[in-house]
Amino acid sequence: MIIVSDVHKRYQTDKGYGKWVLNGVSFTIPPRVNVGLVGPNGAGKSTLLRIIGGVDHPSKGEVRRDCSVSWPLGFAGGLQGTMTGRQNAKFVCRIHGREEEIPEKLAFIQDFAEIGDAFDEPVKSYSSGMKSRLLFGMSLAFDFDVYLSDEITAVGDAAFRNKAAAAFKKLSDHAGLIMVSHGEGTLRQFCQAGIWLHQGQAYWFDDIEDALKNYKDSIKL
Amino acid sequence: MKRTRSSPEIFFAVIRALILREAALRIAGGRLSWFWLLMEPIAHLALFVALFGFILQRLIPGTDPAIFIAIGLIGYFTFQRTATQVKVGISANLALFSYRQVKVLDTLLARALVELVLMLLTSGILFAALAMIGRNVIPDNPLLVLGSLAVMWLTGLGFGLILSVVSTLSEDAGKVVDLIMRPLYFVSGVMYPILSIQQPYRDMLLLNPLVHGIEMLRHGFFPRYSSPPSIDLSYLALWALAMIFVGLLLQRRFSQRLVTL
């Protein structure tokens, strides 16, 4: 369960504080529910995801996590370009768990990512699809209760997306997913519930279709 | 519910992972990168030792000029390289802050530790080379040498902690600090015994805490080296403590702004 209560967020800019990106956002995500975050560019979707993941902090309000949450899977960071896929994976294994599990986890990641020999090449030589395969594999190697995904499946090919979806179907009896995506198909494929971010507020919908409908109505106007 | 790890457990796991990562990163540049990693400071040291230690042969009572220069440089570099590495630590590790386990301070500590190990390796190689050409490289008081080096390192860490915040928050302030740092080399007594400086300038130089560390290092090597009676390692230690305190305070105060920028 993740409880977001009255979260406000604004960033410091060169000219003082910027406007409120999130302005009093509250909702509760029950266990094992897959949620899609929808909203226009700059609505604060990634910011909210980072706050839920604990890598960014709200200016006001709080987030309570009663479960293990993955890091936000996205392209903003998480992979060091000059190091190989294996070295990156090792680093994440080391900060998440015990040393003796590393070989087993590495084998899993290499197997899931299906990037072949590129696993031992520097990450900067990867395509964005390969990066997302690696990141996704890395996160699945650990039994998180909730996975956070920021457009990570957007660049994957159909095979990878199906594989990721199958992995999540398998996980769905004990894990949930919170994802940011502009792809309606992706959202429908992965999520049941939806959160629509609109003018700094968040609206919860039990059905992702309702969230998408509201979002689309808001941009038509 | 899985077993949750305690904070110290996570801290040590992260520090370990960061040190290994930092070490891997430093030698990942190519086949010879481990060689250059050590060669760069060694070449610098060797040049200065050759220049001032052998060629000039300035007579400094009770010392071997080559060793005199070498330990001055090692002491100064232990401070300066640590401070520089810690200073740029935040921007170099931005990609890692998407893992909530990794805190800014962890990355900075790991960098400082890696730098310390590198510095010890470099000094070891340099002294081995000096020993091979017949110099006496065994310190008179090894404990004093190690202690002084440790305090120099802590001072570098504290200074770096402050600089990392200052230069992340304001690029201009970072440049000003770089400007001030440059002459530090010349007013720290790296190349000369502090007693060779005339008053009142000597007392002014003695305000610089680094002078105390470097002079103390020399005392550790040469039993008959003479320096002013006011040389005091605890003066440097106090500076180190104060800077680490201020550094940690700044890190805590600005922790949110350091990463989001």
Side-chain angles (χ1 to χ4, degrees), chain B residues 155-206:
Chain B
T155 314
L157 173 66
F159 197 43
L161 286 175
I162 297 174
L163 291 191
S164 69
V165 177
V166 170
S167 62
T168 310
L169 292 183
S170 158
E171 229 168 89
D172 301 322
K175 283 188 186 130
V176 171
V177 174
D178 283 344
L179 220 62
I180 299 170
M181 278 280 275
R182 217 151 288 165
L184 206 53
Y185 186 83
F186 299 102
V187 296
S188 298
V190 178
M191 299 302 210
Y192 50 85
I194 205 73
L195 266 183
S196 69
I197 303 296
Q198 301 299 313
Q199 289 288 20
Y201 305 108
R202 188 194 299 161
D203 280 345
M204 287 156 77
L205 286 181
L206 281 170

Side-chain angles (χ1 to χ4, degrees), chain B residues 180-251:
Chain B
I180 299 170
M181 278 280 275
R182 217 151 288 165
L184 206 53
Y185 186 83
F186 299 102
V187 296
S188 298
V190 178
M191 299 302 210
Y192 50 85
I194 205 73
L195 266 183
S196 69
I197 303 296
Q198 301 299 313
Q199 289 288 20
Y201 305 108
R202 188 194 299 161
D203 280 345
M204 287 156 77
L205 286 181
L206 281 170
L207 290 175
N208 176 358
L210 298 179
V211 169
H212 295 253
I214 289 171
E215 287 285 292
M216 223 44 182
L217 270 172
R218 288 172 182 152
H219 267 298
F221 263 89
F222 312 114
R224 284 172 41 240
Y225 179 65
S226 51
S227 56
S230 54
I231 289 295
D232 185 0
L233 195 59
S234 57
Y235 177 67
L236 176 67
L238 261 178
W239 269 87
L241 207 68
M243 286 206 278
I244 290 176
F245 178 75
V246 173
L248 289 175
L249 211 66
L250 288 172
Q251 294 281 341

Side-chain angles (χ1 to χ4, degrees), chain A residues 19 40 51 59 62 69 76 85 88 91 123 132 134 137 140 152-154 162 167-168 207-208 212 220:
Chain A
K19 72 176 182 71
I51 290 176
S59 313
E62 64 158 358
V69 180
N88 273 290
F91 175 77
V123 165
S132 67
L134 178 62
L140 287 178
I152 193 75
T153 54
N162 287 336
F168 264 110
D207 191 343
I208 183 76
L212 283 170
K220 257 179 220 153

Side-chain angles (χ1 to χ4, degrees), chain A residues 132-201:
Chain A
S132 67
R133 280 164 176 263
L134 178 62
L135 272 169
F136 214 72
M138 271 158 50
S139 71
L140 287 178
F142 305 95
D143 287 323
F144 291 116
D145 297 324
V146 176
Y147 290 82
L148 306 177
S149 156
D150 192 347
E151 293 279 19
I152 193 75
T153 54
V155 290
D157 55 23
F160 168 65
R161 225 177 304 176
N162 287 336
K163 190 171 183 176
F168 264 110
K169 283 267 150 45
K170 220 169 81 187
L171 283 174
S172 61
D173 55 332
H174 67 269
L177 168 69
I178 305 173
M179 87 185 307
V180 169
S181 180
H182 286 287
E184 280 180 38
T186 313
L187 287 169
R188 288 200 181 93
Q189 189 179 8
F190 284 96
C191 307
Q192 301 109 44
I195 292 170
W196 172 43
L197 281 181
H198 182 61
Q199 292 171 354
Q201 304 288 325

